[in-house]
Amino acid sequence: MPVFHSKISNSSDKFIENRKEMLALVAELRRLEARAETVSDRRLPVFEKRGQLSPRERVRRLLDPGMPFLSLFTMANYMFDDPDPETSVPGGSNILGIGFVSGTRCMVWADDSGIRAGAATTGGWRSLEAVQEIALKQKLPLIHLVESAGANLVDYEIELWANGGKLFRNLARMSAAGIPTLVVLHGASTAGGAYMPGMSDYVIGVKDNGMAALAGAALVKAATGEIANDRELGGTEMHASVSGLVEYLADDDAHGIAMARDVMARLAWNRHAAPTPAAPYAVPKYSADDIAGIVPCDYTVPYDVREVIARLVDGSDFEDFKPRFGVSTVCVQAAVMGRPVGIIGNNGPIDPAGANKATQFLQLCESADIPLVFLHNTTGYMVGTEYEQAGMIKHGSKMIQAISNITVPKIAFYIGASFGAGNYGMSGYAYDPDFLFSWPNARTGVMAGASAAKTMRMVAEVRAARKGETVDEVAAQKQEDFITALFTKQESAFYTSGRCLDNGVIDPRDTRRVLGFALETITEARARTLRPNSFGVARA
Amino acid sequence: MRTIKTLLVANRGEIALRVMRSCKDMGITTAAVYSDADAQAPHVKFADMRVHIGASPVGESYLKIGAIIAAAKEVGADAIHPGYGFLSENAAFAQACADNDIIFVGPPIGAIDVMGDKAKSKRAMIEAGVPCIPGYQGQDQSDARLIKESAAIGFPLMVKAAAGGGGRGMRLVHTAKDLPDAIKAARSEAANAFGSDELIIERAVIAPRHVEIQVFADSHGNIIYLGERDCSVQRRNQKVIEESPCPVMTPELLARMGEAAVATARAVDYVGAGTVEFLLDAKNEFFFLEMNTRLQVEHPVTEMVYGVDLVELQIRAAQGEVMTLTQDAVSANGHAIEVRLYAEDPANGFLPSTGPVTLWQPASGVRVDSGIETGGEVPPFYDSMVAKIIAHGETRAIALTRLKTALQSTALIGPENNRDFLLDAISQDSFIRGEATTAFIKDTYGEDGYSAPALTDADYVLGAAAQYALDTQSARGAALPIADELMGWGSLGVLRKSYIYRADEHDIRVDIIQSPSGLWAEIGEDKHALSYSRVSETQLELRLDGARVQVIYARHSPQHISLVTPCRSYSLTNIAGGLPNGIDAGGGGKVRAPMHGQLLEILVSQGESVKTGDKIAVLEAMKMQHEILAEIDGIVTEIAAKAGTQIAADDMIMEIKSAEVEEG
């Protein structure tokens, strides 16, 4: 088997410079992620006074120690509800991820009630829908640690209400599919939020603090005039003994989480699953740490994506498929943590030969049932007479057609540029990859900002020329700057991840682990036979 | 001359196993006897044959002469070895053996008879010219006579059961005022334990050494002595640490004591292994204490120094063989120290502890004579000694170092035990210097006795690290396959897990942090680098700030773990998942039996008000009386147990409602 020989020197100036820039971006990612924790932790005294655990502590206690945890959507809602990058709190007031509870791989969702009492965010709801969809597709039990003020009426936006219904529909679909859903009611869950426990299979209610009601006392008074008491209206003690909404009553947060762990253990969710075992493997010959120095943060600077692949795959060992044909589209067969994968990466724009090569490779992997990994670094399909005449449209279309219809798992990483239809052909956001993560240096969009600005300038110059006028240089420059800024802002990974156009931003050096974790998740899902029913399990 | 083909061991625990091992070496078929409680005991499994002899209490099994003789006949045993304790110094038993033509591996009945009675033996020794402690061993047992004799002997003095041994029925009296009570208590305990309430009184030699001479005699008049054992470290007048030679022994003194011991044996026509106990005072004056007409618990110390198998010698003597070893050929080699591992709580007045043995992991590289095994039990009916650990070395310092190393890797999880205490005791300067006298424990640990030091941060960190390692192992075991390189990885960079332990009302929190720079433990403001690897099913190797620590553990539940580190045995319950059921937040009001036993008396009645420290009930377990004291001031609201009945550990005896609650 051909082991790759790296041409990288990690003492070169270029390497050191690249590494410095990349690590600065990773530090920025961590700084932004930490902002959510910092804001949430301001409420620690309140939690303590109420005898509660903080949302992060709830998650820590829920998860098995020593087991991996893949955080999802840590940047959700960044620069969305609050457009100011200096104040915007990423995370969508949720803590999301895939981790292990009593040895069971689960989707974990905790309301971050330390931030605006866990009220729903407009920019965050999409991440919730997405984690439910991932749970449904990957057959992951969903554990939701609930404490949310619901929708903040002051920030009312009709879309949030309209879209919010999908979250409950998804719970019903999960229950019907035979995927367990579990809620721990740590605090309030009113109005729409009340359907969160209402539609979950198992509800653990925490005494004194846990509460679920279609309307809290204030709304009841406004609506019917009844003077109600919150504990009688929706306290967990009432739900455990009167309404029947709560299956298990816990003394406090810690006990409620211990009960959730116990419920998961008793499901014995792994007993029938026998996933295909991973083959024995060697770790990559080249360290994943090098990735930070290999990849320039400026996507216009070329590098060989094979240098990245060599740091992701077992033994740094891969088979280059058609290396001399469509050379800027790199297709390789390899394995990650003992599981076979086909990897498509870009060394620049995709030309007709590259599109054809990729299409063939996609079909071959589909035939062989080999999961596909996409390493996006393309400014798109080639343009120009030569390429149009060579059938760029139809060859690109074949690739997009293949990507749309293949059924093997797809895991995509935005590792540099991902522009235009090239993003589509490489299984971008709209093509529903099983997992999609961005590196902090990634840039996505219909085209690069500079290209868009130049295009618009050309259009203006052509229009002016047609009218026999001269271009107003100042106005034109202003427009060019405006368009560049408009595109640049929206193409940043932090911004796109804020809009939930990926599953999150990761440290590039973690890519092999993320990939291995995703492959294991997918392998487990494929090994599970669910016991679906028509309507989901109804509560007594 | 009679050759023993089948030998029945009329005993249990480590000594039964010890005797059988020598039998097996000699090609003798072994037979065990057992009570209900010992049906699964190691000595029963080890024996070639086994006979059930009755219920668990000793009076219904191991002390039942008829049942044991019947058992011997059933298996066709031609000899019985009595071990120590039980019937080993019982003349009636020796007689019963003789009557049934069974060889009793022990001395002639006459010797047992004389030496079994402290008064009689003392009279005999005075006659034989063996130095004795001034005292009274007359047949007039009236209180008046005892008090009068006491005045003549002088205080402090010891009131002892004439038939006694092992510290039972023994009282140290400092003033005349305390004498009547002491006589009363010693009488009752003597009657209970030995079936005879006869007492003797002796001058108490303060802070002496307890030095005993091992003698051995064949039935042809040959008697030798095999050096001495210093058994000065005692608690409740029971030996804890024994060594040979005695640190202050001189050849001249040994010769004198040895000859006195031989004279003692000769005076009673002794045959077999016997021990003559002396008190040795600071001026190297020694006084006859008693002669034990049996194999001693601490006999391995002598075996290791003198290179003999005393059980084998006993059997050969019982067969009527002529002893080949002569006094001239006896030579000592190096130094041996033995410690006795008791199932007891040294921090709680050495109160016996019983129950299932979750883990017994003896040390290797030293001699360990034990009678327990993992999965077995320490029953409440018998002596609480569960093992002896004996280290040998060319010098005392070498033997002591080996013993310490061995103790550090010895683990008993289940009943409370004295391992940590033993480690502490042998690490005391006075012991290291060889200066320990019978006052050692009192001098070292004071009137309140030994108390276990509070757990340190390192203890908590090791506990949390062990729980983290085991929790990880359980989770991974329950999960579908996960690649090694994903373990402990979190895409946010850091994973944190809290372990929370309740300690004297405030909680101790240890966070285990998994980060790209490795594993860390955070406790308070301190951060420690951590790593671990699994050694076996019961052992982890932890590294705390680079220092390696072997941790032997038993995991009772995911929350509850017992740990044995080289310096500490302790249990922790992680309450990060909430308080486990059964932790009584109130405390004090519910009075429960501290151990299995017979509830002798309830001293209060319902509705009575009690003060903290009041004696409210008396429990007898393992032949010891334990006073149960009120832990709070209040009123007895309920009596749940009945005096005179057998009760199990943790059974409710009564409930006291706190006075504070009443007032509040």
Side-chain angles (χ1 to χ4, degrees), chain B residues 277-307:
Chain B
E277 298 189 338
F278 296 101
L279 287 182
L280 178 67
D281 73 11
K283 290 171 284 183
N284 276 1
E285 246 199 287
F286 58 92
F287 306 101
F288 173 80
L289 206 53
E290 61 181 353
M291 179 174 187
N292 292 316
T293 57
R294 54 169 156 87
L295 192 66
Q296 293 279 91
V297 172
E298 60 273 24
H299 74 274
V301 166
T302 300
E303 292 186 326
M304 296 192 77
V305 173
Y306 289 90

mmCIF file of all heavy atoms in Angstrom, chain B residues 277-307:
data_model
loop_
_atom_site.group_PDB
_atom_site.id
_atom_site.type_symbol
_atom_site.label_atom_id
_atom_site.label_comp_id
_atom_site.label_asym_id
_atom_site.label_seq_id
_atom_site.Cartn_x
_atom_site.Cartn_y
_atom_site.Cartn_z
ATOM 1 N N GLU B 277 5.198 -18.168 78.970
ATOM 2 C CA GLU B 277 5.152 -16.713 78.868
ATOM 3 C C GLU B 277 5.738 -16.068 80.123
ATOM 4 O O GLU B 277 5.430 -16.484 81.242
ATOM 5 C CB GLU B 277 3.715 -16.230 78.688
ATOM 6 C CG GLU B 277 3.071 -16.756 77.414
ATOM 7 C CD GLU B 277 1.722 -16.105 77.142
ATOM 8 O OE1 GLU B 277 1.084 -15.588 78.095
ATOM 9 O OE2 GLU B 277 1.306 -16.131 75.984
ATOM 10 N N PHE B 278 6.582 -15.062 79.876
ATOM 11 C CA PHE B 278 7.167 -14.307 80.982
ATOM 12 C C PHE B 278 6.923 -12.820 80.783
ATOM 13 O O PHE B 278 6.771 -12.357 79.645
ATOM 14 C CB PHE B 278 8.688 -14.513 81.021
ATOM 15 C CG PHE B 278 9.117 -15.923 81.303
ATOM 16 C CD1 PHE B 278 9.537 -16.749 80.264
ATOM 17 C CD2 PHE B 278 9.113 -16.429 82.607
ATOM 18 C CE1 PHE B 278 9.943 -18.056 80.510
ATOM 19 C CE2 PHE B 278 9.526 -17.735 82.848
ATOM 20 C CZ PHE B 278 9.948 -18.556 81.807
ATOM 21 N N LEU B 279 6.917 -12.127 81.902
ATOM 22 C CA LEU B 279 7.007 -10.674 81.813
ATOM 23 C C LEU B 279 8.469 -10.339 82.067
ATOM 24 O O LEU B 279 9.083 -10.869 83.000
ATOM 25 C CB LEU B 279 6.123 -10.001 82.851
ATOM 26 C CG LEU B 279 4.623 -10.056 82.594
ATOM 27 C CD1 LEU B 279 3.875 -9.312 83.691
ATOM 28 C CD2 LEU B 279 4.287 -9.481 81.227
ATOM 29 N N LEU B 280 9.000 -9.463 81.214
ATOM 30 C CA LEU B 280 10.397 -9.081 81.363
ATOM 31 C C LEU B 280 10.411 -7.594 81.695
ATOM 32 O O LEU B 280 9.911 -6.776 80.930
ATOM 33 C CB LEU B 280 11.136 -9.335 80.042
ATOM 34 C CG LEU B 280 12.612 -8.957 79.984
ATOM 35 C CD1 LEU B 280 13.446 -9.836 80.911
ATOM 36 C CD2 LEU B 280 13.113 -9.070 78.541
ATOM 37 N N ASP B 281 10.969 -7.264 82.848
ATOM 38 C CA ASP B 281 10.933 -5.843 83.196
ATOM 39 C C ASP B 281 12.204 -5.141 82.731
ATOM 40 O O ASP B 281 13.097 -5.755 82.140
ATOM 41 C CB ASP B 281 10.642 -5.631 84.693
ATOM 42 C CG ASP B 281 11.832 -5.988 85.577
ATOM 43 O OD1 ASP B 281 12.946 -6.196 85.035
ATOM 44 O OD2 ASP B 281 11.648 -6.072 86.811
ATOM 45 N N ALA B 282 12.265 -3.837 83.000
ATOM 46 C CA ALA B 282 13.335 -3.012 82.456
ATOM 47 C C ALA B 282 14.704 -3.438 82.975
ATOM 48 O O ALA B 282 15.739 -3.173 82.371
ATOM 49 C CB ALA B 282 13.072 -1.544 82.775
ATOM 50 N N LYS B 283 14.713 -4.145 84.156
ATOM 51 C CA LYS B 283 15.983 -4.577 84.729
ATOM 52 C C LYS B 283 16.344 -6.003 84.312
ATOM 53 O O LYS B 283 17.170 -6.658 84.952
ATOM 54 C CB LYS B 283 15.917 -4.461 86.258
ATOM 55 C CG LYS B 283 15.905 -3.012 86.737
ATOM 56 C CD LYS B 283 15.614 -2.896 88.216
ATOM 57 C CE LYS B 283 14.143 -3.125 88.490
ATOM 58 N NZ LYS B 283 13.714 -2.975 89.867
ATOM 59 N N ASN B 284 15.658 -6.483 83.257
ATOM 60 C CA ASN B 284 15.866 -7.841 82.763
ATOM 61 C C ASN B 284 15.502 -8.913 83.788
ATOM 62 O O ASN B 284 16.019 -10.016 83.761
ATOM 63 C CB ASN B 284 17.317 -8.047 82.295
ATOM 64 C CG ASN B 284 17.487 -7.549 80.863
ATOM 65 O OD1 ASN B 284 16.518 -7.054 80.268
ATOM 66 N ND2 ASN B 284 18.676 -7.677 80.324
ATOM 67 N N GLU B 285 14.606 -8.555 84.693
ATOM 68 C CA GLU B 285 14.060 -9.552 85.593
ATOM 69 C C GLU B 285 12.836 -10.126 84.928
ATOM 70 O O GLU B 285 12.045 -9.387 84.320
ATOM 71 C CB GLU B 285 13.655 -8.876 86.906
ATOM 72 C CG GLU B 285 14.494 -9.323 88.085
ATOM 73 C CD GLU B 285 13.806 -9.010 89.374
ATOM 74 O OE1 GLU B 285 13.765 -7.803 89.721
ATOM 75 O OE2 GLU B 285 13.280 -9.950 90.011
ATOM 76 N N PHE B 286 12.673 -11.440 84.999
ATOM 77 C CA PHE B 286 11.482 -12.007 84.339
ATOM 78 C C PHE B 286 10.652 -12.820 85.327
ATOM 79 O O PHE B 286 11.165 -13.376 86.290
ATOM 80 C CB PHE B 286 11.881 -12.843 83.122
ATOM 81 C CG PHE B 286 12.815 -13.979 83.404
ATOM 82 C CD1 PHE B 286 12.304 -15.257 83.685
ATOM 83 C CD2 PHE B 286 14.207 -13.803 83.369
ATOM 84 C CE1 PHE B 286 13.174 -16.313 83.924
ATOM 85 C CE2 PHE B 286 15.063 -14.857 83.621
ATOM 86 C CZ PHE B 286 14.559 -16.121 83.908
ATOM 87 N N PHE B 287 9.343 -12.811 85.070
ATOM 88 C CA PHE B 287 8.393 -13.508 85.939
ATOM 89 C C PHE B 287 7.558 -14.441 85.093
ATOM 90 O O PHE B 287 7.073 -14.053 84.025
ATOM 91 C CB PHE B 287 7.451 -12.516 86.621
ATOM 92 C CG PHE B 287 8.156 -11.430 87.370
ATOM 93 C CD1 PHE B 287 8.309 -10.156 86.829
ATOM 94 C CD2 PHE B 287 8.678 -11.684 88.648
ATOM 95 C CE1 PHE B 287 8.955 -9.157 87.525
ATOM 96 C CE2 PHE B 287 9.328 -10.675 89.347
ATOM 97 C CZ PHE B 287 9.464 -9.410 88.788
ATOM 98 N N PHE B 288 7.325 -15.627 85.620
ATOM 99 C CA PHE B 288 6.441 -16.577 84.932
ATOM 100 C C PHE B 288 5.034 -16.007 84.879
ATOM 101 O O PHE B 288 4.515 -15.490 85.864
ATOM 102 C CB PHE B 288 6.439 -17.906 85.694
ATOM 103 C CG PHE B 288 5.438 -18.901 85.171
ATOM 104 C CD1 PHE B 288 5.711 -19.658 84.041
ATOM 105 C CD2 PHE B 288 4.217 -19.075 85.810
ATOM 106 C CE1 PHE B 288 4.788 -20.565 83.563
ATOM 107 C CE2 PHE B 288 3.287 -19.980 85.334
ATOM 108 C CZ PHE B 288 3.572 -20.728 84.206
ATOM 109 N N LEU B 289 4.451 -16.084 83.728
ATOM 110 C CA LEU B 289 3.098 -15.574 83.553
ATOM 111 C C LEU B 289 2.143 -16.746 83.428
ATOM 112 O O LEU B 289 1.221 -16.913 84.212
ATOM 113 C CB LEU B 289 3.072 -14.734 82.267
ATOM 114 C CG LEU B 289 2.049 -13.632 82.116
ATOM 115 C CD1 LEU B 289 2.096 -12.691 83.297
ATOM 116 C CD2 LEU B 289 2.342 -12.875 80.829
ATOM 117 N N GLU B 290 2.394 -17.572 82.432
ATOM 118 C CA GLU B 290 1.596 -18.775 82.249
ATOM 119 C C GLU B 290 2.277 -19.625 81.191
ATOM 120 O O GLU B 290 3.177 -19.158 80.488
ATOM 121 C CB GLU B 290 0.159 -18.439 81.809
ATOM 122 C CG GLU B 290 0.082 -17.706 80.484
ATOM 123 C CD GLU B 290 -1.356 -17.384 80.103
ATOM 124 O OE1 GLU B 290 -2.288 -17.833 80.794
ATOM 125 O OE2 GLU B 290 -1.528 -16.685 79.093
ATOM 126 N N MET B 291 1.831 -20.853 81.113
ATOM 127 C CA MET B 291 2.313 -21.697 80.023
ATOM 128 C C MET B 291 1.126 -22.054 79.155
ATOM 129 O O MET B 291 0.088 -22.498 79.644
ATOM 130 C CB MET B 291 2.952 -22.964 80.550
ATOM 131 C CG MET B 291 3.435 -23.854 79.393
ATOM 132 S SD MET B 291 4.346 -25.297 79.954
ATOM 133 C CE MET B 291 4.925 -25.952 78.410
ATOM 134 N N ASN B 292 1.285 -21.822 77.862
ATOM 135 C CA ASN B 292 0.231 -22.194 76.919
ATOM 136 C C ASN B 292 0.566 -23.564 76.375
ATOM 137 O O ASN B 292 1.601 -23.761 75.747
ATOM 138 C CB ASN B 292 0.133 -21.172 75.801
ATOM 139 C CG ASN B 292 -0.367 -19.838 76.312
ATOM 140 O OD1 ASN B 292 -1.324 -19.794 77.094
ATOM 141 N ND2 ASN B 292 0.286 -18.765 75.930
ATOM 142 N N THR B 293 -0.341 -24.483 76.645
ATOM 143 C CA THR B 293 -0.061 -25.881 76.316
ATOM 144 C C THR B 293 -0.580 -26.213 74.926
ATOM 145 O O THR B 293 -1.362 -27.133 74.736
ATOM 146 C CB THR B 293 -0.714 -26.794 77.363
ATOM 147 O OG1 THR B 293 -2.122 -26.502 77.396
ATOM 148 C CG2 THR B 293 -0.125 -26.554 78.737
ATOM 149 N N ARG B 294 -0.184 -25.432 73.979
ATOM 150 C CA ARG B 294 -0.687 -25.595 72.610
ATOM 151 C C ARG B 294 0.257 -24.882 71.660
ATOM 152 O O ARG B 294 1.215 -24.239 72.076
ATOM 153 C CB ARG B 294 -2.067 -24.963 72.500
ATOM 154 C CG ARG B 294 -2.035 -23.503 72.976
ATOM 155 C CD ARG B 294 -3.286 -22.761 72.648
ATOM 156 N NE ARG B 294 -3.496 -21.630 73.538
ATOM 157 C CZ ARG B 294 -3.011 -20.407 73.355
ATOM 158 N NH1 ARG B 294 -2.245 -20.140 72.314
ATOM 159 N NH2 ARG B 294 -3.259 -19.442 74.201
ATOM 160 N N LEU B 295 -0.079 -24.946 70.400
ATOM 161 C CA LEU B 295 0.623 -24.162 69.388
ATOM 162 C C LEU B 295 0.138 -22.727 69.543
ATOM 163 O O LEU B 295 -1.056 -22.481 69.675
ATOM 164 C CB LEU B 295 0.223 -24.703 68.007
ATOM 165 C CG LEU B 295 1.018 -24.234 66.810
ATOM 166 C CD1 LEU B 295 2.444 -24.755 66.891
ATOM 167 C CD2 LEU B 295 0.358 -24.736 65.530
ATOM 168 N N GLN B 296 1.057 -21.763 69.529
ATOM 169 C CA GLN B 296 0.647 -20.364 69.666
ATOM 170 C C GLN B 296 0.274 -19.763 68.319
ATOM 171 O O GLN B 296 0.795 -20.192 67.274
ATOM 172 C CB GLN B 296 1.819 -19.545 70.218
ATOM 173 C CG GLN B 296 2.230 -19.852 71.616
ATOM 174 C CD GLN B 296 1.338 -19.174 72.640
ATOM 175 O OE1 GLN B 296 0.342 -19.767 73.071
ATOM 176 N NE2 GLN B 296 1.680 -17.985 73.034
ATOM 177 N N VAL B 297 -0.541 -18.747 68.381
ATOM 178 C CA VAL B 297 -0.880 -18.004 67.165
ATOM 179 C C VAL B 297 0.409 -17.561 66.460
ATOM 180 O O VAL B 297 0.567 -17.698 65.250
ATOM 181 C CB VAL B 297 -1.731 -16.759 67.508
ATOM 182 C CG1 VAL B 297 -1.925 -15.881 66.284
ATOM 183 C CG2 VAL B 297 -3.072 -17.164 68.105
ATOM 184 N N GLU B 298 1.349 -17.064 67.273
ATOM 185 C CA GLU B 298 2.537 -16.428 66.708
ATOM 186 C C GLU B 298 3.674 -17.419 66.437
ATOM 187 O O GLU B 298 4.819 -16.997 66.222
ATOM 188 C CB GLU B 298 3.010 -15.301 67.637
ATOM 189 C CG GLU B 298 3.378 -15.723 69.064
ATOM 190 C CD GLU B 298 2.190 -15.754 70.039
ATOM 191 O OE1 GLU B 298 1.036 -15.906 69.562
ATOM 192 O OE2 GLU B 298 2.393 -15.644 71.253
ATOM 193 N N HIS B 299 3.355 -18.709 66.376
ATOM 194 C CA HIS B 299 4.415 -19.701 66.171
ATOM 195 C C HIS B 299 5.213 -19.506 64.882
ATOM 196 O O HIS B 299 6.387 -19.885 64.817
ATOM 197 C CB HIS B 299 3.833 -21.129 66.230
ATOM 198 C CG HIS B 299 3.049 -21.500 65.009
ATOM 199 N ND1 HIS B 299 1.726 -21.203 64.862
ATOM 200 C CD2 HIS B 299 3.428 -22.123 63.860
ATOM 201 C CE1 HIS B 299 1.312 -21.631 63.680
ATOM 202 N NE2 HIS B 299 2.328 -22.189 63.060
ATOM 203 N N PRO B 300 4.641 -18.884 63.813
ATOM 204 C CA PRO B 300 5.425 -18.746 62.580
ATOM 205 C C PRO B 300 6.713 -17.944 62.774
ATOM 206 O O PRO B 300 7.698 -18.169 62.065
ATOM 207 C CB PRO B 300 4.478 -18.012 61.633
ATOM 208 C CG PRO B 300 3.116 -18.360 62.122
ATOM 209 C CD PRO B 300 3.245 -18.429 63.620
ATOM 210 N N VAL B 301 6.695 -17.007 63.721
ATOM 211 C CA VAL B 301 7.891 -16.204 63.970
ATOM 212 C C VAL B 301 9.054 -17.125 64.320
ATOM 213 O O VAL B 301 10.164 -17.005 63.789
ATOM 214 C CB VAL B 301 7.586 -15.197 65.105
ATOM 215 C CG1 VAL B 301 8.860 -14.597 65.637
ATOM 216 C CG2 VAL B 301 6.633 -14.118 64.624
ATOM 217 N N THR B 302 8.787 -18.084 65.205
ATOM 218 C CA THR B 302 9.816 -19.048 65.611
ATOM 219 C C THR B 302 10.202 -19.941 64.432
ATOM 220 O O THR B 302 11.379 -20.214 64.199
ATOM 221 C CB THR B 302 9.272 -19.896 66.774
ATOM 222 O OG1 THR B 302 8.965 -19.012 67.845
ATOM 223 C CG2 THR B 302 10.273 -20.945 67.214
ATOM 224 N N GLU B 303 9.180 -20.364 63.677
ATOM 225 C CA GLU B 303 9.459 -21.244 62.532
ATOM 226 C C GLU B 303 10.415 -20.577 61.544
ATOM 227 O O GLU B 303 11.306 -21.220 60.992
ATOM 228 C CB GLU B 303 8.156 -21.615 61.816
ATOM 229 C CG GLU B 303 7.274 -22.524 62.671
ATOM 230 C CD GLU B 303 6.049 -23.033 61.929
ATOM 231 O OE1 GLU B 303 5.503 -22.289 61.081
ATOM 232 O OE2 GLU B 303 5.634 -24.169 62.195
ATOM 233 N N MET B 304 10.210 -19.278 61.333
ATOM 234 C CA MET B 304 11.027 -18.605 60.329
ATOM 235 C C MET B 304 12.449 -18.367 60.822
ATOM 236 O O MET B 304 13.389 -18.383 60.041
ATOM 237 C CB MET B 304 10.359 -17.311 59.880
ATOM 238 C CG MET B 304 9.026 -17.643 59.197
ATOM 239 S SD MET B 304 8.278 -16.283 58.320
ATOM 240 C CE MET B 304 9.264 -16.226 56.861
ATOM 241 N N VAL B 305 12.595 -18.121 62.111
ATOM 242 C CA VAL B 305 13.951 -17.870 62.627
ATOM 243 C C VAL B 305 14.704 -19.183 62.835
ATOM 244 O O VAL B 305 15.901 -19.265 62.591
ATOM 245 C CB VAL B 305 13.886 -17.042 63.927
ATOM 246 C CG1 VAL B 305 15.272 -16.921 64.556
ATOM 247 C CG2 VAL B 305 13.324 -15.650 63.649
ATOM 248 N N TYR B 306 13.980 -20.222 63.251
ATOM 249 C CA TYR B 306 14.669 -21.472 63.590
ATOM 250 C C TYR B 306 14.560 -22.542 62.507
ATOM 251 O O TYR B 306 15.111 -23.628 62.650
ATOM 252 C CB TYR B 306 14.166 -21.991 64.948
ATOM 253 C CG TYR B 306 14.680 -21.103 66.064
ATOM 254 C CD1 TYR B 306 13.951 -19.993 66.495
ATOM 255 C CD2 TYR B 306 15.945 -21.326 66.622
ATOM 256 C CE1 TYR B 306 14.439 -19.145 67.465
ATOM 257 C CE2 TYR B 306 16.444 -20.477 67.594
ATOM 258 C CZ TYR B 306 15.692 -19.385 68.019
ATOM 259 O OH TYR B 306 16.198 -18.554 68.968
ATOM 260 N N GLY B 307 13.829 -22.205 61.430
ATOM 261 C CA GLY B 307 13.776 -23.128 60.300
ATOM 262 C C GLY B 307 13.118 -24.448 60.624
ATOM 263 O O GLY B 307 13.560 -25.510 60.172
#
